[in-house]
Amino acid sequence: QVQLVESGGGLVQAGGSLRLSCAASGSVVSFNTIDWYRQAPGKQRELVVAISRDGSTNYIDSVKGRFTISRDNAKNTVYLQMNSLKPEDTAVHSCKAEVLMDGHGSTWFGWGQGTQVTVSP
């Protein structure tokens, strides 16, 4: 019933910007928690930024000051604004989220399929 779909990836030169979206479809009321991960070929998957249940936001040190996460509850969409991109940011970016499905406390937890971000030197 619930699906997470990432979009906004692409090819950009170093120093450029991209805005990723993670849209939740289905009977979704709001996001409870949000994680953005990235994984490059041959490298471990790493958590880029997370919004916890208490609303706190935590970024990995390498993206602080460059990336900004935001949430549009009305559209059930989370955005990741990525500025000053570096070649080391090249990876498949995926969102993971727990969503509130209705007004009675039902939740769903899962992953999106990912969107490719490629930063050329």
Side-chain angles (χ1 to χ4, degrees), residues 20-117:
L20 306 184
S21 299
C22 177
S25 62
S27 56
V28 175
V29 176
S30 62
F31 288 90
N32 292 334
T33 65
I34 305 158
D35 299 330
W36 277 101
Y37 287 85
R38 66 185 183 186
Q39 186 171 27
K43 297 182 64 178
Q44 296 182 1
R45 183 174 58 199
E46 64 179 347
L47 179 64
V48 178
V49 61
I51 299 178
S52 302
R53 274 186 168 271
D54 62 3
S56 62
T57 303
N58 190 33
Y59 298 86
I60 191 171
D61 286 343
S62 62
V63 308
K64 288 181 178 178
R66 300 190 297 123
F67 291 8
T68 303
I69 190 170
S70 61
R71 174 170 51 186
D72 187 336
N73 289 325
K75 296 183 178 181
N76 292 322
T77 301
V78 176
Y79 304 98
L80 182 64
Q81 179 67 45
M82 305 185 298
N83 298 326
S84 302
L85 284 164
K86 305 174 181 179
E88 64 197 63
D89 297 319
T90 296
V92 174
H93 288 67
S94 303
C95 63
K96 180 179 72 175
E98 179 186 280
V99 302
L100 179 66
M101 296 181 65
D102 55 43
H104 300 93
S106 298
T107 59
W108 177 91
F109 183 84
W111 290 78
Q113 294 299 307
T115 184
Q116 176 70 47
V117 172

